[in-house]
């Protein structure tokens, strides 16, 4: 769905306006200089991005307002789950300063290769490709100290220049918050009609408060919200099988927030040491059959497929 310009606060003149960076409302904005110097008018890269993603059937963004709630873990496990069912899947990691996908997807140390048709993703499986800024950093210990315009430029380059081929689903992992990267990715996908956003939270109120901001962001920029998943939702003891609510909120958790905001609740995933180990070792959680989180992810995956109306890949 394209960006809804009418939903953007009227005080901001917009990046394409002649008053961008010059209006009184721009005073104090961290992007003021970038808006003043940026070329005005329609972005010439948008048609190129639309062409590059023309064979991508579904595109979803994984968002949350709070860091550390499990966006990257969720992105990886959903991608693994879809690929295991023979869908063609791509994972795009736009968390420029904290790219964790190479490690979680088990492709750390690999490199993106350039060819005549563009950048080639790193493939975990024949039908599961990954693109991340982590592949461009000399060392995993190196900090990425970039300002907004440089980060935004790389995000556009990923969307414009990567040769994904035909995909059933492109899953985009984002950093926490509602800042430069989020505005950049939504704007760059303006002509591609992404399916929408999947929101991730944990049960405690401090995380839910930030997810409320993410909901507000999605509605202001016209990005559909496909549903919400509550991560770290209790702990099931592997010995006695008794459940304990580790992160207890006072407002009813993710389910109550969905009821309040009119959002689809896609399910809960409990804390699970096996899930943490699978991420550290770059493995698919599905190999850990019988664990509470593996079963929870299967249920969430079914919900995601239903929202996207994903049919049998053999029918595509």
């Amino acid at each position: 769905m394209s960006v809804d310009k009418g939903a953007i606060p009227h005080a901001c003149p917009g990046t394409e306006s002649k008053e961008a960076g010059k209006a009184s409302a721009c005073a104090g904005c961290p992007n003021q200089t970038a808006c003043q110097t940026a070329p005005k008018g329609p972005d010439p890269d948008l048609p190129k991005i639309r062409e590059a993603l023309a064979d991508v059937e579904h595109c979803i963004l994984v968002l949350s307002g709070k860091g550390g709630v499990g966006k990257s873990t969720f992105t990886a496990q959903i991608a693994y789950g879809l690929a295991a069912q023979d869908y063609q899947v791509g994972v795009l990691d736009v968390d420029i300063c904290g790219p964790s996908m190479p490690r979680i997807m088990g492709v750390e140390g690999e490199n993106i290769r350039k060819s005549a048709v563009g950048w080639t993703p790193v493939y975990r499986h024949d039908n599961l490709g990954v693109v991340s800024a982590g592949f461009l950093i000399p060392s995993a210990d190196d900090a990425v100290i970039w300002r907004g315009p440089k980060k935004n430029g790389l995000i556009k380059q990923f969307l414009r220049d990567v040769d994904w081929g035909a995909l059933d689903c492109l899953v985009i992992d984002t950093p926490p918050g509602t800042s430069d990267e989020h505005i950049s990715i939504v704007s760059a996908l303006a002509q591609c009609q992404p399916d929408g956003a999947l929101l991730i939270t944990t049960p405690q109120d401090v995380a839910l408060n930030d997810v409320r901001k993410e909901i507000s962001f999605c509605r202001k920029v016209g990005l559909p919200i496909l549903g919400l998943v509550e991560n770290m939702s209790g702990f099931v003891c592997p010995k006695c099988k008794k459940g304990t609510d580790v992160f207890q909120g006072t407002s009813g958790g993710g389910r109550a927030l969905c009821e309040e905001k009119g959002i689809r609740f896609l399910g809960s995933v409990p804390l699970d040491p096996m899930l943490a180990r699978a991420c550290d070792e770059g493995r698919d959680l599905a190999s850990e059959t019988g664990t509470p989180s593996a079963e929870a992810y299967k249920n969430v995956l079914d919900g995601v497929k239903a929202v996207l109306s994903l049919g049998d890949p053999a029918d595509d």
Side-chain angles (χ1 to χ4, degrees):
M1 185 173 182
S2 62
V3 174
D4 180 6
K5 300 294 186 181
I8 298 174
H10 295 297
C12 175
T15 57
E16 298 177 7
S17 170
K18 294 180 180 179
E19 294 300 312
K22 302 175 183 178
S24 58
C26 301
C29 175
N31 296 316
Q32 183 176 13
T33 301
C35 288
Q36 281 180 326
T37 57
K40 301 300 184 290
D43 188 337
D45 282 327
L46 295 188
K48 298 176 183 177
I49 292 171
R50 181 183 61 203
E51 182 179 357
L53 300 180
D55 293 328
V56 175
E57 188 70 22
H58 297 282
C59 177
I60 58 178
L61 286 75
V62 181
L63 305 174
S64 84
K66 178 68 68 178
V69 298
K71 290 185 306 302
S72 298
T73 299
F74 176 84
T75 299
Q77 296 306 320
I78 290 299
Y80 274 131
L82 290 172
Q85 297 181 24
D86 293 328
Y87 293 101
Q88 297 292 326
V89 184
V91 174
L92 176 58
D93 180 5
V94 298
D95 190 346
I96 307 300
C97 294
S100 53
M101 275 300 148
R103 176 73 178 268
I104 295 177
M105 299 298 296
V107 287
E108 200 170 24
E110 299 290 338
N111 295 303
I112 297 175
R113 304 186 186 281
K114 296 182 180 180
S115 68
V117 294
W119 290 5
T120 301
V122 173
Y123 283 91
R124 180 65 171 84
H125 301 300
D126 289 343
N127 64 331
L128 178 54
V130 184
V131 170
S132 170
F135 296 132
L136 308 178
I137 302 171
S139 169
D141 295 332
D142 288 346
V144 177
I145 309 174
W146 289 2
R147 294 187 182 275
K150 191 170 183 180
K151 290 190 289 185
N152 297 343
L154 181 60
I155 290 172
K156 286 178 64 176
Q157 190 169 12
F158 279 159
L159 294 172
R160 185 189 64 223
D161 294 345
V162 172
D163 179 28
W164 291 106
L167 291 181
D168 293 302
C169 190
L170 176 64
V171 189
I172 301 177
D173 184 40
T174 69
T178 56
S179 191
D180 286 337
E181 293 93 331
H182 307 81
I183 298 171
S184 178
I185 194 77
V186 171
S187 299
L189 291 172
Q191 296 185 6
C192 300
Q193 297 184 332
D195 292 78
L198 292 171
L199 305 182
I200 313 299
T201 188
T202 50
Q204 67 269 43
D205 292 344
V206 69
L208 292 168
N209 287 341
D210 285 341
V211 173
R212 290 175 184 275
K213 299 180 179 67
E214 203 73 51
I215 294 171
S216 174
F217 168 82
C218 290
R219 289 175 172 170
K220 285 181 178 179
V221 301
L223 181 66
I225 299 174
L226 303 176
L228 179 144
V229 175
E230 184 178 87
N231 201 16
M232 306 183 198
S233 183
F235 172 72
V236 179
C237 177
K239 293 185 177 180
C240 71
K241 307 301 181 182
K242 182 179 179 180
T244 302
D245 290 329
V246 179
F247 302 119
Q248 290 186 341
T250 60
S251 61
R255 186 184 294 273
L257 177 62
C258 287
E259 292 175 357
E260 174 192 339
K261 297 292 186 180
I263 296 172
R264 184 181 290 103
F265 184 69
L266 293 173
S268 302
V269 179
L271 283 166
D272 187 349
M274 298 305 295
L275 174 57
R277 183 180 301 175
C279 289
D280 285 344
E281 297 176 358
R283 292 186 290 105
D284 181 358
L285 183 66
S287 60
E288 307 292 345
T289 56
T291 65
S293 58
E295 294 302 316
Y297 265 114
K298 289 179 182 178
N299 293 333
V300 171
L301 179 61
D302 288 342
V304 171
K305 289 174 59 181
V307 170
L308 298 177
S309 300
L310 272 175
D312 189 326
D315 296 335
D316 295 340

